[in-house]
Amino acid sequence: MERKEDPILRVVNLKKHFPLGGRFFGKGSGSVKAVDGVNLEIEGGQTVALVGESGCGKTTLGRAILRLIDITSGEIYFRDVNLLNLNKKEMREMRMNMQLVQQDIQSALDPRMTIKASVGEGLVVYGIDKGKELREKVLSLLQKVGLGEEHLNRFPQEFSGGQRQRVCISRALALNPKFIILDEPTASLDVSVQAQILNLLRDLQNELELTYLFISHDLSVVRYISDEVYVMYLGKIVEKAGTRDIFKRQLHPYTSTLFSAIPIPDPNVKRERLRLKGEVPSAIDPPSGCSFHPRCPDAREICSEVEPELRAVEGGRLVACHLYN
């Protein structure tokens, strides 16, 4: 598929800080810096992967992009429209173009609603289809993901994990979006089912000209489906590169550690796994300078004093590390 020159999505210095308060912390005692100054661009037709350890802010970033949660500061542009300038009615219309496939497939579907009702809910809410037309549209959506007429009046608890994910994908497609955030879409599935879902996502992308932000911690899956990779650590992007380049060579020490943990499906081949010292710092009180420096095997004095900027290095790759200044 040909790529468009202008990004379909552009995120500029996005921050989401959750204020602390209540019985245990008290008012005004700080905030959790879940997303702390993220810049991100996705071209039309691309699959961009966002990777990092659990708790690094990946899901929060995805929800902030869709304005499902309020942001602290920054800008979000979808097709050059700043989403933060839209009122509720305008944002409601914009969400037809931007959809989400959630991480937890067990809670993503209402157990009291049939599959027909779940998949068709958006069509009803937006007044697009009803009656016979609604049934035909829902059936068409289910058929796109490999399900059929016999599934229309069933309930979520009658489906396997893979089938539930297919239902969730069909629901995301209902309003004919061009951009979908996939939050760990294969995390709770068996390996064989993962492959089926990934192939389905690629086929749908080619057929419907979709753009994906693919959030995952499974780097083997990322290698298969993505065009570019953003690496996130403690609310910040520390490296960005094309998939082929980043799997061939990692620049940031944190990225190298992540990739060293990828299993090799050959018992005769061994890879030296890099292990980090210490624990992930708190997002309430992150370290000064580079937030990774307390765990970094290549840390220098400047790393604890000055925060590195995300800057272009070889081949247009981006990295936030003093080793490359």
Side-chain angles (χ1 to χ4, degrees):
M1 182 185 302
E2 293 185 3
R3 300 279 167 75
K4 301 175 183 179
E5 294 183 1
D6 296 330
I8 190 172
L9 180 80
R10 184 161 57 93
V11 175
V12 182
N13 197 29
L14 182 65
K15 296 183 180 181
K16 175 56 184 176
H17 297 174
F18 293 95
L20 296 175
R23 178 179 176 184
F24 295 102
F25 295 100
K27 295 183 179 180
S29 58
S31 60
V32 177
K33 298 177 180 178
V35 179
D36 198 24
V38 166
N39 295 286
L40 181 146
E41 288 189 357
I42 306 179
E43 294 180 10
Q46 272 193 325
T47 297
V48 167
L50 182 64
V51 305
E53 293 173 289
S54 296
C56 71
K58 304 187 299 296
T59 294
T60 301
L61 176 58
R63 294 179 65 83
I65 288 173
L66 297 179
R67 281 191 59 184
L68 297 176
I69 55 175
D70 293 330
I71 71 168
T72 303
S73 62
E75 298 175 323
I76 306 165
Y77 294 92
F78 182 77
R79 290 177 170 166
D80 294 326
V81 175
N82 190 343
L83 301 185
L84 300 178
N85 291 337
L86 303 182
N87 58 36
K88 289 185 178 180
K89 181 179 179 181
E90 292 168 334
M91 190 62 211
R92 183 176 182 271
E93 295 300 315
M94 181 62 76
R95 284 206 179 98
M96 294 179 68
N97 299 302
M98 310 169 68
Q99 291 294 307
L100 170 68
V101 174
Q102 300 181 55
Q103 179 176 355
D104 187 0
I105 58 176
Q106 301 301 322
S107 61
L109 299 173
D110 190 330
R112 298 165 298 179
M113 296 175 66
T114 64
I115 298 308
K116 174 189 170 184
S118 289
V119 175
E121 186 175 18
L123 298 169
V124 173
V125 169
Y126 280 86
I128 297 174
D129 286 310
K130 62 181 180 179
K132 182 179 179 181
E133 292 78 13
L134 176 64
R135 184 184 188 279
E136 291 176 352
K137 182 62 180 291
V138 171
L139 177 57
S140 174
L141 289 165
L142 291 178
Q143 290 172 337
K144 281 185 181 297
V145 299
L147 299 175
E149 187 173 7
E150 67 275 16
H151 300 110
L152 282 171
N153 295 314
R154 295 184 184 178
F155 290 88
Q157 53 269 32
E158 300 178 62
F159 288 80
S160 66
Q163 288 176 320
R164 287 192 186 199
Q165 193 62 289
R166 289 174 187 269
V167 172
C168 291
I169 293 170
S170 69
R171 184 174 61 177
L173 296 175
L175 298 177
N176 194 29
K178 290 303 177 184
F179 173 66
I180 299 178
I181 294 180
L182 302 160
D183 190 0
E184 301 275 10
T186 61
S188 58
L189 305 177
D190 294 337
V191 175
S192 60
V193 180
Q194 285 184 11
Q196 295 172 16
I197 296 299
L198 291 174
N199 288 332
L200 171 64
L201 290 171
R202 294 184 69 170
D203 290 343
L204 291 170
Q205 183 174 43
N206 291 327
E207 177 186 350
L208 304 175
E209 299 183 354
L210 299 172
T211 303
Y212 294 146
L213 175 60
F214 191 94
I215 299 172
S216 181
H217 67 272
D218 189 333
L219 294 174
S220 298
V221 169
V222 166
R223 185 172 194 170
Y224 177 75
I225 199 170
S226 68
D227 300 298
E228 290 188 336
V229 179
Y230 282 77
V231 181
M232 196 169 184
Y233 181 78
L234 209 63
K236 301 178 184 290
I237 302 298
V238 297
E239 186 167 354
K240 175 253 182 178
T243 301
R244 182 177 300 179
D245 292 334
I246 203 168
F247 273 86
K248 184 176 181 180
R249 179 169 174 252
Q250 302 85 46
L251 300 183
H252 197 282
Y254 173 66
T255 311
S256 299
T257 304
L258 276 184
F259 280 64
S260 73
I262 301 175
I264 300 176
D266 186 341
N268 298 317
V269 177
K270 294 184 178 180
R271 173 191 286 147
E272 181 181 358
R273 181 170 181 179
L274 304 177
R275 299 187 181 277
L276 296 175
K277 57 185 179 182
E279 300 293 331
V280 180
S282 170
I284 300 174
D285 185 23
S288 61
C290 173
S291 57
F292 185 63
H293 86 263
R295 308 173 72 197
C296 181
D298 300 315
R300 305 174 179 180
E301 184 176 351
I302 190 176
C303 299
S304 62
E305 300 171 352
V306 180
E307 181 179 349
E309 296 180 2
L310 187 68
R311 61 179 64 192
V313 290
E314 56 189 58
R317 298 176 63 165
L318 301 179
V319 63
C321 181
H322 289 300
L323 296 174
Y324 301 93
N325 287 351

